[in-house]
Structures are given as structure tokens and as C-alpha cells.
Amino acid sequence: MKFSLDKILAAFGNIRAMERTHVDNYTEDIINAIDEEAFAVSEQNVLFAKTSELGGYFYVITIVVGSFKIKTIKGAKLALKGTEIDLVLKSDMDEFESDYSNVSNRFITRIDFQIEENDVANFDKNKITSLTLSAKKQEVVFKTL
């Protein structure tokens, strides 16, 4: 039988030990449910992105997995630069927050950006060379794969 000091402390009600032994199934399910290929990478983050349409409005759905951690009520911007595209997208919602997974020691951040219908065709890995995610005072530069 394997004993762990954290498990013993958690059994006695130590909150920090309980947090360390907690299995975060919700965040792990988000990571495992990403069926898309990675769109772009930075030094410590991976960006998954795709376009979607809902009720005549077009969106770029992004999920950032890695060290990017944020909690904001001021929204974010995604700057797309490439051969045929130079575009800045604003986030659909101003308030969002990263989810932490203590199992994988990563943060997962989902941000939806508004995009015009005529710009959807330009949202392609072959046309975009870099993406810059700006939120609060943080800026992450991604290079497409």
C-alpha cells in the first residue's frame, strides 16, 4: 500500500493538501476534447483555432493551452499577420478567465473572437504567418505550423 503525505493531510482536512490531490476532470476533459490540430505555437503555449458561424455571425474560436493565465473584464485582441492578411479581431466577450489543471500543470483559456464573413476565407494556416494575442498587459506571439 502506497502512502502519500498529501493524502494523509487531506484526510485530516488540510485544504492545501486537498487541492494538490484533487483530480481536475473538467479541465482534463477540455484538453482531451480538442479535436482540431494545433493552429499555432509560442514558446510555452499552443493555440487551437477554427472558424464558426452562429446565426449569421462569424467567430474564430480559440483555445490556448499552456502557461498563459489571465482573468480579465476588458477583453482581448488577436492580431493576424500574413501574406494576404493584416487584421485585428476583438474578443466576443469582455470577461473571461483561464482554467487551471493541477494534473497537467497547464492553463486552458477559451476566447471567441468576432470576424467578418469576407475575412473568414483568409483565416488559413497557409495565409497567416503569426498571431499576437493581447489581453491586459500580456502579449503572446504565436507562429503558425
Side-chain angles (χ1 to χ4, degrees):
M1 181 182 252
K2 184 177 177 184
F3 288 101
S4 165
L5 185 59
D6 279 339
K7 288 182 181 180
I8 294 169
L9 291 173
F12 285 110
N14 186 309
I15 299 297
R16 286 190 180 172
M18 285 181 193
E19 289 174 355
R20 287 191 297 265
T21 60
H22 173 72
V23 176
D24 188 359
N25 293 331
Y26 172 74
T27 310
E28 288 304 306
D29 288 344
I30 292 173
I31 293 172
N32 295 330
I34 299 172
D35 57 352
E36 301 291 319
E37 281 186 14
F39 191 86
V41 294
S42 72
E43 288 183 18
Q44 300 176 353
N45 300 288
V46 178
L47 176 79
F48 297 89
K50 68 177 184 177
T51 58
S52 180
E53 184 263 335
L54 179 63
Y57 295 98
F58 292 87
Y59 299 94
V60 174
I61 299 169
T62 64
I63 298 175
V64 180
V65 179
S67 65
F68 180 74
K69 174 187 176 185
I70 190 137
K71 180 177 182 179
T72 185
I73 58 170
K74 296 190 178 195
K77 292 183 181 179
L78 184 67
L80 312 172
K81 300 211 185 290
T83 55
E84 301 174 17
I85 190 170
D86 190 12
L87 184 65
V88 177
L89 306 176
K90 290 185 178 182
S91 60
D92 180 39
M93 293 184 64
D94 290 335
E95 187 174 341
F96 55 88
E97 178 178 0
S98 300
D99 293 317
Y100 177 68
S101 171
N102 61 354
V103 176
S104 60
N105 201 24
R106 297 181 281 186
F107 291 93
I108 295 95
T109 310
R110 179 182 169 155
I111 310 171
D112 296 343
F113 294 94
Q114 301 170 358
I115 190 169
E116 296 297 322
E117 183 178 3
N118 55 349
D119 293 325
V120 171
N122 289 329
F123 193 81
D124 186 9
K125 282 185 187 181
N126 299 325
K127 295 180 181 179
I128 299 172
T129 56
S130 70
L131 298 99
T132 304
L133 176 62
S134 304
K136 272 190 163 179
K137 295 179 181 178
Q138 296 185 42
E139 188 171 278
V140 181
V141 178
F142 293 95
K143 300 291 181 195
T144 56
L145 297 174

